[in-house]
Amino acid sequence: MELNVVSAEQTTGIEDHIPNRLEPAQNDYFAPYWRKFRRDEFWRSIPSWHDVSERVFLDAMWQEQNAVINRERLERLVGPLVDPSFLDDATEGMKRAPMAMRISPYIISLINWAGPISDPLRRQFLPLGSEIEEDHPLLGLDTLGEQSDSPVAGLTHRYRTKALFLPTSTCPVYCRFCTRSYAVGTDTEEVAKVRLGAGRERWKNAFDYVAEHPELEDIVVSGGDAFRLKPDQLKTIGDALLDLPNVRRIRFATKGLAVQPMKIITDRGWLNALTAVSERGRYLRKEVCLHTHFNHPNEITGITEDAAGLLFERGITVRNQAVLLRGVNDGDDCLVDLGRRLSTLNIHPYYTYLCDLVTGTEDLRTTIARGISLEKIVRGTTAGFNTPTFVVDTLGGGGKRDVHSFEYYDPDFGLAVYAAPSVKPGKFFISGDPLRDLRQDVRDVWQNPATRTELIDNVLKNICHHC
Ligand code: SF4
């Protein structure tokens, strides 16, 4: 039996779930489409969940317990809705993926199983063998060099005043394109993960390092995902960092709001812990924010609207960091729509990352030229402060660079070069467009180690000559 029907005690918070106070206005016939969010019981389209009530579906623990983590569960849920060859294709994809599979019931229910091949949510979380493309030679695990910039396990100190702290290595879902494929989730057939468990001793080493470096002001608590921290762990981390006089800003990172928004509504222990840290931060005049990760408008429903409303009522700033993904959100209108919907929910679109050069993600990557053209389309469609900066997170640890700020870019060769004078002075960082978008003779240049090195060396020599 798939369902775990929860007790009333477990569903803490649903009793006083506040309905959307703006509903009448948003249902106004004349309201623009991006201010309308679906409020149907969409999960009932999954045959096994046909009888699941709203109370059960909104329960965060039920969502955890019913996450899809292997072919058997996937087949049990969507087998009656898809062609059997689709499941075989997915099994092949999972075998070759660097990320384990974990998909929340919320996301499973939002995928169009009548056409899963082109579904933008399916593409983010469920790999297909038939979609795998040969990796560009620049792709790898940990291509951002996070481990080489880690003075203690799970703490990356790259920018002078900012550090990235990884308290855990699990998430409510596993994204195929995760930049931290080297550490996040369970081992796969392709990747044995670096272990970064939620150990208090390891955390203490990280806090000690932050205390010993007074220049550190910004701490990003990422992962893994803050949704997987227990309320007391969230509070411990928040308080430990707020206690340090040098720490001025904390960002808790979670994709949870996009993939399991009901946790904000029904796990009041977690929401209260976040609120307590945020309020203590405000008392100390320090900023505590939530950074989340929506990539497509289909991830947003009335449940999201209620969850985001609760966070806003509690004074918690939420910003979004999207990833530009081919076949997911690289159409002309998708990011415009996403930005407007997020703005309606008081979630600030902050960054749109070009997909990192991670092993196994070639089919999801877009060109830098596409990133630039989409930025032009997005800018001007909503307020400037709700317009994301399009960035490339550079290979080898140069950090995030505005996509336009290259020292060199030749779309014909699919090669870009960025500089990061405040992060790694004097160094250059290269990026490569997907092989699929290049001419065959240029692909041959990239695939041959000798001609590839010659190409890169010549470009770098030319840049140095001009700088
Ligand atoms: S939620 Fe974030 S950390 Fe977790 S798998 Fe997705 S991208 Fe990686």
Side-chain angles (χ1 to χ4, degrees):
M1 176 75 174
E2 179 73 8
L3 299 183
N4 292 292
V5 178
V6 291
S7 67
E9 294 75 49
Q10 284 174 303
T11 59
T12 49
I14 182 105
E15 298 79 6
D16 52 1
H17 167 205
I18 303 166
N20 170 27
R21 292 180 183 141
L22 297 175
E23 206 162 11
Q26 289 177 351
N27 285 342
D28 181 334
Y29 179 79
F30 296 103
Y33 69 91
W34 63 83
R35 291 215 303 264
K36 296 177 180 173
F37 304 97
R38 65 184 296 183
R39 287 190 171 270
D40 56 319
E41 296 190 327
F42 52 87
W43 59 89
R44 293 186 192 261
S45 64
I46 304 294
S48 302
W49 296 339
H50 185 262
D51 296 325
V52 170
S53 66
E54 183 186 43
R55 168 179 287 270
V56 171
F57 190 73
L58 291 191
D59 186 82
M61 195 176 295
W62 185 88
Q63 289 283 325
E64 287 287 330
Q65 290 168 342
N66 288 281
V68 173
I69 55 170
N70 53 36
R71 171 174 172 143
E72 289 66 43
R73 276 203 195 179
L74 183 69
E75 189 165 357
R76 219 182 313 153
L77 291 172
V78 305
L81 306 175
V82 297
D83 191 280
S85 64
F86 175 82
L87 292 169
D88 293 339
D89 202 359
T91 305
E92 183 57 25
M94 283 177 239
K95 255 193 233 158
R96 296 166 61 187
M99 292 298 287
M101 177 166 63
R102 186 178 180 88
I103 313 178
S104 62
Y106 177 77
I107 290 293
I108 286 283
S109 312
L110 289 171
I111 291 172
N112 172 20
W113 293 106
I117 303 284
S118 58
D119 187 275
L121 306 195
R122 194 284 303 161
R123 265 183 75 71
Q124 293 183 63
F125 304 108
L126 182 62
L128 296 182
S130 60
E131 284 180 341
I132 295 173
E133 292 179 18
E134 184 188 355
D135 278 353
H136 189 290
L138 294 179
L139 266 55
L141 294 174
D142 193 18
T143 45
L144 304 186
E146 288 187 345
Q147 291 172 97
S148 55
D149 278 335
S150 288
V152 297
L155 187 101
T156 298
H157 186 183
R158 169 170 303 146
Y159 303 91
R160 183 168 158 72
T161 60
K162 187 184 99 172
L164 167 72
F165 171 48
L166 310 177
T168 180
S169 57
T170 63
C171 304
V173 291
Y174 292 132
C175 312
R176 289 180 53 211
F177 47 91
C178 180
T179 207
R180 233 154 269 137
S181 290
Y182 69 91
V184 166
T186 50
D187 291 349
T188 67
E189 290 188 29
E190 295 287 316
V191 183
K193 308 278 169 164
V194 173
R195 303 263 166 245
L196 291 174
R200 299 221 174 204
E201 193 53 39
R202 183 173 68 78
W203 294 0
K204 187 177 174 308
N205 293 339
F207 302 148
D208 288 347
Y209 178 89
V210 176
E212 286 157 13
H213 289 77
E215 72 276 20
L216 281 173
E217 296 182 345
D218 267 286
I219 308 296
V220 178
V221 182
S222 187
D225 192 297
F227 253 38
R228 298 309 293 276
L229 295 171
K230 296 189 177 76
D232 67 305
Q233 292 177 319
L234 191 70
K235 189 111 186 3
T236 299
I237 292 169
D239 283 339
L241 293 172
L242 287 174
D243 284 343
L244 301 177
N246 52 315
V247 173
R248 307 299 308 165
R249 293 168 292 277
I250 304 172
R251 292 173 250 176
F252 285 102
T254 177
K255 191 168 172 69
L257 196 53
V259 297
Q260 204 189 91
M262 55 283 289
K263 185 176 173 77
I264 300 290
I265 299 166
T266 60
D267 185 348
R268 285 300 164 89
W270 195 90
L271 178 63
N272 289 342
L274 179 67
T275 307
V277 176
S278 163
E279 285 179 353
R280 180 161 177 248
R282 200 168 300 117
Y283 175 76
L284 295 170
R285 300 187 178 176
K286 299 183 178 195
E287 187 185 62
V288 178
C289 303
L290 203 65
H291 277 203
T292 191
H293 175 186
F294 288 88
N295 288 329
H296 194 277
N298 288 5
E299 292 158 353
I300 303 174
T301 66
I303 304 171
T304 326
E305 185 181 28
D306 291 344
L310 275 174
L311 289 165
F312 190 70
E313 281 173 20
R314 293 191 177 208
I316 297 166
T317 298
V318 185
R319 303 189 186 108
N320 190 60
Q321 304 191 165
V323 181
L324 176 59
L325 298 165
R326 179 171 161 266
V328 173
N329 56 13
D330 65 333
D332 281 357
D333 300 328
C334 191
L335 290 172
V336 172
D337 190 6
L338 181 66
R340 284 174 168 160
R341 285 180 184 266
L342 292 174
S343 302
T344 300
L345 301 182
N346 296 306
I347 297 172
H348 301 289
Y350 170 40
Y351 277 142
T352 301
Y353 289 78
L354 268 70
C355 182
D356 289 333
L357 284 79
V358 180
T359 304
T361 62
E362 187 73 354
D363 66 296
L364 288 169
R365 299 199 309 119
T366 60
T367 60
I368 286 174
R370 185 61 183 148
I372 292 170
S373 70
L374 284 173
E375 195 274 344
K376 281 186 202 163
I377 292 171
V378 167
R379 187 161 294 281
T381 57
T382 185
F385 61 83
N386 274 335
T387 303
T389 305
F390 283 58
V391 292
V392 173
D393 212 344
T394 51
L395 277 182
K400 289 172 273 296
R401 302 281 94 197
D402 184 320
V403 68
H404 301 89
S405 69
F406 48 78
E407 307 297 312
Y408 169 94
Y409 177 44
D410 183 342
D412 287 338
F413 277 91
L415 175 61
V417 181
Y418 289 87
S422 302
V423 184
K424 301 228 163 115
K427 288 199 170 176
F428 292 106
F429 302 88
I430 61 170
S431 187
D433 284 344
L435 293 176
R436 139 188 28 90
D437 294 306
L438 305 176
R439 290 192 320 261
Q440 184 58 52
D441 59 318
V442 177
R443 262 186 253 170
D444 294 342
V445 169
W446 276 105
Q447 277 160 334
N448 177 327
T451 50
R452 177 167 74 240
T453 305
E454 193 183 313
L455 168 71
I456 294 168
D457 285 352
N458 280 340
V459 167
L460 291 180
K461 234 184 274 164
N462 209 25
I463 293 174
C464 292
H465 184 69
H466 289 100
C467 61

